[in-house]
Amino acid sequence: MRLALAQIDVEGGQVAANRERAADAIAAAADRGADVVALPEIFNVGYFAFETYQRNAEPLSGPTLSRVSDLAAEHDVGVLAGSIVEDLEATSADDPDADPPAEEGLANTSVFFDRDGRRQAVYRKHHLFGYESAETELLVPGESLGLAEFDGATVGMTTCYDLRFPELYRSIAEAGATLVFVPSAWPYPRVEHWQVLSRARAIENQFFLATVNGAGSFDDATLLGRSTVFDPWGTTLASTDDEPDLVVTDIDVDRVEGVREEFPAWHDRRR
């Protein structure tokens, strides 16, 4: 399976321009033979553009995810739409089967689309960031895991601050995930946290983990980029710096069970 992490430049509140960057990245990834493309956290609005959340919130059937669905089908790739600001009330009205965590409010929501553009999984960020952030004031946390089957892999979904809560990743691993994506808007100066926590989640669960961060600056934050793919040993397979980039690498999800058999920490757990 070939992964592509679309580390695009995200401008605060510039939804149309950000959508076009995402569309260009998906097309470029498909040209490089990608099977699945991942986009960053709140790639259309910009994570730190808190004052624009309400007016740019959309249901799952809204223009951003509809465009991503069309792009997945057009290019024959799976796409993890990193996340958007979801209008839960509008989603409930449009799609009773979407199972939002609340009847109203906003959520930080990722969606996985298959090669036909069909929605396979929805994940609403569990752990909302409160440190120098308005996320906890503006959003509703998710309640369920996001898991999708794609090209022989069970794909798990988490978001940014979730990296600091290992119990979530253990739950995802126990649910069968062999590849987990972490779309993010991780800022400077916490470079070491970004790198160490990501590698630790891969090592302790013995699965592939792909972090896709944004690039660009907001009024009071600059995203540090460094989107990376880790294998089940925690080895870096591909990475980049803090500039816009497309990180592409091949993985073999069958290695997960091989690593767990070779070094049986997964099987030696005491619950």
Side-chain angles (χ1 to χ4, degrees):
M1 180 189 296
R2 180 161 293 179
L3 308 183
L5 309 180
Q7 184 173 294
I8 62 173
D9 186 17
V10 181
E11 291 186 89
Q14 302 302 309
V15 175
N18 292 333
R19 280 186 198 143
E20 288 310 305
R21 292 189 189 96
D24 291 345
I26 292 169
D31 286 345
R32 293 179 62 176
D35 296 298
V36 61
V37 188
L39 300 169
E41 180 181 19
I42 310 191
F43 68 91
N44 61 337
V45 175
Y47 175 83
F48 289 95
F50 300 118
E51 71 282 359
T52 74
Y53 276 20
Q54 187 66 57
R55 70 173 178 267
N56 289 316
E58 303 177 19
L60 296 183
S61 60
T64 297
L65 295 181
S66 294
R67 180 79 187 283
V68 173
S69 172
D70 291 343
L71 289 163
E74 176 184 348
H75 296 290
D76 188 33
V77 293
V79 180
L80 174 64
S83 68
I84 67 164
V85 180
E86 181 192 6
D87 183 330
L88 298 173
E89 185 176 6
T91 288
S92 295
D94 288 353
D95 188 352
D97 296 328
D99 191 27
E103 294 182 358
E104 59 184 21
L106 308 178
N108 186 335
T109 303
S110 298
V111 178
F112 190 90
F113 295 96
D114 66 16
R115 294 180 185 273
D116 295 318
R118 293 176 300 207
R119 192 173 71 213
Q120 295 297 315
V122 175
Y123 173 74
R124 297 176 176 97
K125 187 176 182 181
H126 280 202
H127 300 95
L128 303 181
F129 191 47
Y131 175 74
E132 297 181 354
S133 163
E135 190 176 34
T136 53
E137 301 169 12
L138 298 173
L139 304 184
V140 175
E143 302 292 343
S144 59
L145 300 181
L147 295 165
E149 298 300 320
F150 181 81
D151 283 13
T154 300
V155 178
M157 301 151 66
T158 64
T159 308
C160 201
Y161 190 47
D162 284 332
L163 271 173
R164 296 183 181 275
F165 302 90
E167 59 273 16
L168 173 60
Y169 291 82
R170 183 49 52 91
S171 295
I172 293 169
E174 289 178 337
T178 49
L179 166 64
V180 177
F181 285 104
V182 194
S184 301
W186 203 283
Y188 284 104
R190 295 182 289 278
V191 177
E192 291 81 4
H193 295 197
W194 171 248
Q195 295 170 326
V196 171
L197 292 169
S198 303
R199 178 173 282 112
R201 300 296 85 84
I203 292 171
E204 66 199 6
N205 292 294
Q206 297 179 303
F207 52 31
F208 288 93
L209 186 133
T211 61
V212 53
N213 202 12
S217 296
F218 298 80
D219 290 341
D220 56 357
T222 298
L223 303 182
L224 59 81
R226 292 171 173 78
S227 300
T228 305
V229 179
F230 297 95
D231 76 1
W233 289 108
T235 302
T236 298
L237 300 182
S239 189
T240 190
D241 57 17
D242 61 1
E243 295 298 317
D245 201 358
L246 190 64
V247 178
V248 180
T249 192
D250 294 322
I251 68 168
D252 177 4
V253 292
D254 291 337
R255 284 195 62 218
V256 169
E257 189 54 40
V259 169
R260 290 175 178 178
E261 290 178 359
E262 180 179 351
F263 192 82
W266 179 256
H267 302 292
D268 291 341
R269 291 169 301 145
R270 295 183 65 191
R271 298 173 185 270

